[in-house]
C-alpha cells in the first residue's frame, strides 16, 4: 500500500504532462487483478505455499521458462504473450511427479487423473484455452469439480505421465494490461524523443550563428566555449570518472544540473554575451536538459512500479514471472534509459561539436594547444616546439605509438589545414602559444634573462 500511494503522489507532484500520467504503469489496477489471480489459484488448491513446494528447480537450471520439478509457468505467443500453467502428473496416483502436495491439490489432480486414465493421447475438456472472456469486477470462487475440469487440457506425454494445462483467466488479463501499458510507454518515448530531436536541431542552427569565429562581426564563441566546458565538467546525465562511471540517477542528475546553472550565474556568462540571440539559445539549452531530466524521472518511477508489481506477483503466487516476463518484452522505457542516452548523444554531436574545445586539439607532450601541428608519419599530432625538442634530444619514436617517425619529420609534416582551423577558432590560445614558443627560442639564443617583447615594459622615447 505504501508504494502505491508513493507512486500516485509522484505522478501528481512531479509536474508530468497528463498524457504521460495516462501512459504510466496502472499499478492499482494490476494489484486488484493480482488479488483475483490469488483467489483463482487458491480455488484450485494452488496457493502460494503449495506452489513453493512444487517449484523446486535445480541450482544449475537456467532458461527463459520457469521450470519446476512439477510445473511450468511460461508465456506463449510472439506479439501478445499468453501465460500458461502446466503440470505433469503420474496417471497411477494422480500426483505431480516428485512433488509434495496439500490435500486440496492432491484431490484436484487425482480427479484429473481418474477422469483421463485410459483416454486417448489428447483429451480437450471445455474451451480451447483462449482468454478472451470479459473481466469481472469481483472474483467469485467456483468450487464444482466440473467447472474446474472445464479449464484444463490433458495431453499424454508417456504411458504413465499426463500433462495438464490449467487455464487461468485473470493472469492473462493481468499480463495483457501490463504489456499494453508497456507498449504505450514505448510509443510515448518515441514521440517525446522526436520532439527533443527537433528542438536540438533548431538550437544547433542558432548556436552555429552566435558562435561563428570572429572577424569583422560580433561573436560569442568564447562564451559558448566556456559554457560547454562547464557542461562537460558537470557530467549531468553520464559520468566518465573512474569512481562513478556510467549513467546518473535522476536525483544526481538534478544536483549536477543545478550546479551547472549555478556556475553559469556565478561566472556571469549570460551577462557577458554580446548577442541577444545567445540569451535565447542558453534558455533553450537549459530547457532541453530539464526535459531530459523529466523523462529520466518518469522512466525511473515506471521502472520501479514495473519491478514492484512483478515481485508482488511472484510473492503471492510463486509462479516465477518476474524473471521471465521482462526478457520477453525487451522494452526500452522499462528496461533501460536509452532515451536519455540517445538525446545526450545527439547534444554531443550537434551542439558541443559546434564549439570545439581546446582539450581536443592539445599536444600530448606539453598539453598546450597544438600550434603549428606536426602530423607525424604515424598520423599522430604534436606541436612544432615539442617536435624540435624531441629531435634535439635524438628521440626517434612517437610518444603515442612508439613508431620510428620523429627524426623523419620536417616542415612538410606541418598540417596547414589544421593550422588555419586553430588560428580561426582559438585565436587567444594560439597567440599565447606563439609567445611561449618565441620566448623559449629567445632563451636558447640569448640566455635565461631573455623576455619576450610583449612582456617588456620599456619604451623607446
Amino acid at each position: 500500500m505504501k508504494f502505491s500511494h508513493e507512486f500516485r503522489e509522484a505522478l501528481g507532484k512531479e509536474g508530468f504532462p497528463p498524457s504521460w500520467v495516462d501512459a504510466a504503469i496502472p499499478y492499482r489496477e494490476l494489484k486488484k487483478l493480482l488479488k483475483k489471480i490469488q483467489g483463482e489459484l487458491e480455488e484450485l488448491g494452488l496457493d502460494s505455499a503449495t506452489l513453493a513446494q512444487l517449484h523446486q528447480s535445480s541450482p544449475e537450471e537456467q532458461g527463459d521458462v520457469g521450470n519446476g520439478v512439477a510445473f511450468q509457468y511460461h508465456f506463449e505467443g510472439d506479439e501478445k504473450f499468453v501465460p500458461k500453467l502446466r503440470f505433469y502428473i503420474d496417471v497411477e496416483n494422480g500426483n505431480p511427479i516428485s512433488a509434495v502436495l496439500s490435500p486440496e491439490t492432491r484431490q484436484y489432480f487425482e480427479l484429473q487423473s481418474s477422469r483421463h486414465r485410459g483416454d486417448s493421447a489428447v483429451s480437450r475438456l471445455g474451451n480451447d484455452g483462449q482468454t478472451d472472456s470479459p473481466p469481472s469486477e469481483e472474483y467469485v470462487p467456483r468450487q464444482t469439480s466440473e467447472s474446474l475440469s472445464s479449464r484444463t487440457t490433458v495431453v499424454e506425454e508417456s504411458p504413465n505421465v499426463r500433462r495438464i494445462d490449467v487455464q487461468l483467466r485473470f493472469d492473462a488479463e493481468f499480463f495483457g494490461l501490463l504489456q499494453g501499458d508497456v507498449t504505450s510507454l514505448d510509443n510515448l518515448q518515441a514521440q517525446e524523443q522526436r520532439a527533443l530531436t527537433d528542438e536540438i536541431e533548431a538550437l544547433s542552427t542558432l548556436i552555429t550563428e552566435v558562435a561563428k569565429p570572429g572577424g569583422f562581426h560580433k561573436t560569442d564563441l568564447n562564451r559558448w566555449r566556456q559554457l560547454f566546458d562547464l557542461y562537460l565538467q558537470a557530467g549531468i546525465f553520464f559520468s566518465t570518472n573512474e569512481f562513478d562511471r556510467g549513467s546518473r540517477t535522476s536525483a544526481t542528475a538534478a544536483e549536477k544540473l543545478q550546479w551547472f546553472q549555478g556556475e553559469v550565474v556565478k561566472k556571469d556568462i549570460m551577462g557577458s554575451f554580446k548577442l541577444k540571440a545567445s540569451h535565447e539559445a542558453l534558455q533553450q539549452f537549459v530547457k532541453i536538459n530539464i526535459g531530459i531530466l523529466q523523462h529520466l524521472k518518469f522512466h525511473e518511477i515506471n521502472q520501479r512500479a514495473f519491478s514492484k508489481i512483478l515481485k508482488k506477483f511472484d510473492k503471492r503466487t510463486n509462479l516465477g514471472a518476474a524473471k521471465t516476463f521482462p526478457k520477453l518484452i525487451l522494452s526500452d522505457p522499462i528496461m533501460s534509459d536509452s532515451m536519455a542516452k540517445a538525446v545526450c548523444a545527439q547534444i554531443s554531436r550537434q551542439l558541443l561539436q559546434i564549439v570545439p574545445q581546446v582539450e581536443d586539439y592539445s599536444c600530448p607532450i606539453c598539453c598546450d594547444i597544438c600550434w603549428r601541428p606536426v602530423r607525424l608519419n604515424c598520423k599522430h599530432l604534436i606541436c612544432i616546439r615539442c617536435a624540435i625538442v624531441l629531435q634535439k634530444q635524438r628521440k626517434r619514436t612517437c610518444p603515442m605509438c612508439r613508431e620510428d617517425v620523429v627524426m623523419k619529420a620536417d616542415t612538410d609534416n606541418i598540417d596547414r589545414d589544421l593550422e588555419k582551423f586553430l588560428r580561426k577558432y582559438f585565436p587567444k590560445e594560439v597567440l599565447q602559444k606563439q609567445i611561449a614558443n618565441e620566448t623559449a627560442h629567445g632563451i636558447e639564443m640569448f640566455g635565461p634573462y631573455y623576455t619576450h617583447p610583449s612582456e617588456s615594459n620599456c619604451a623607446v622615447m
Side-chain angles (χ1 to χ4, degrees), residues 248-255 293 296-297 300:
R248 306 279 198 197
T249 63
S250 62
T252 304
E255 292 177 2
L293 180 60
L296 186 57
K297 288 180 180 179
E300 285 181 351

Side-chain angles (χ1 to χ4, degrees), residues 98-305:
S98 303
V100 180
L101 299 176
S102 67
E104 293 84 357
T105 311
R106 183 186 298 276
Q107 181 180 5
Y108 169 68
F109 286 120
E110 286 176 351
L111 172 64
Q112 296 302 322
S113 177
S114 63
R115 283 178 176 272
H116 302 291
R117 188 177 297 118
D119 285 356
S120 59
V122 178
S123 173
R124 302 191 65 82
L125 305 178
N127 60 36
D128 58 1
Q130 297 299 313
T131 57
D132 295 331
S133 53
S136 61
E137 289 300 319
E138 296 296 332
Y139 177 69
V140 180
R142 294 169 291 176
Q143 300 294 342
T144 67
S145 62
E146 182 179 355
S147 65
L148 291 178
S149 62
S150 69
R151 290 187 285 159
T152 63
T153 300
V154 180
V155 180
E156 182 178 353
E157 291 286 321
S158 68
N160 294 322
V161 176
R162 294 287 188 273
R163 187 191 80 208
I164 297 181
D165 291 333
V166 181
Q167 176 201 349
L168 297 177
R169 173 179 164 191
F170 294 111
D171 66 340
E173 193 176 336
F174 177 93
F175 287 107
L177 178 61
L178 188 55
Q179 185 181 358
D181 194 76
V182 168
T183 301
S184 297
L185 287 173
D186 277 330
N187 295 334
L188 176 65
Q189 171 174 279
Q191 176 185 342
E192 295 298 327
Q193 186 170 335
R194 285 193 298 269
L196 282 173
T197 296
D198 292 341
E199 290 182 26
I200 292 171
E201 289 178 353
L203 181 58
S204 171
T205 302
L206 184 56
I207 294 178
T208 299
E209 287 298 316
V210 299
K212 280 183 179 179
F216 299 100
H217 63 273
K218 291 181 180 179
T219 179
D220 280 325
L221 174 61
N222 287 331
R223 263 71 64 188
W224 278 100
R225 177 174 294 129
Q226 185 182 12
L227 189 145
F228 283 156
D229 182 56
L230 287 173
Y231 185 77
L232 291 172
Q233 287 181 44
I236 297 173
F237 300 104
F238 300 96
S239 171
T240 57
N241 299 322
E242 193 65 33
F243 66 93
D244 63 347
R245 190 178 187 87
S247 303
R248 306 279 198 197
T249 63
S250 62
T252 304
E255 292 177 2
K256 296 294 181 180
L257 181 58
Q258 187 175 7
W259 178 87
F260 167 71
Q261 292 176 290
E263 289 298 305
V264 169
V265 172
K266 186 188 299 184
K267 297 181 184 300
D268 194 27
I269 294 178
M270 287 191 71
S272 63
F273 280 146
K274 297 179 180 179
L275 301 172
K276 184 179 180 180
S278 286
H279 292 268
E280 178 187 342
L282 179 55
Q283 290 174 356
Q284 185 64 18
F285 181 69
V286 172
K287 178 187 172 186
I288 288 172
N289 279 273
I290 292 175
I292 299 172
L293 180 60
Q294 282 287 85
H295 280 285
L296 186 57
K297 288 180 180 179
F298 189 69
H299 157 75
E300 285 181 351
I301 193 171
N302 278 282
Q303 186 182 51
R304 190 175 173 204

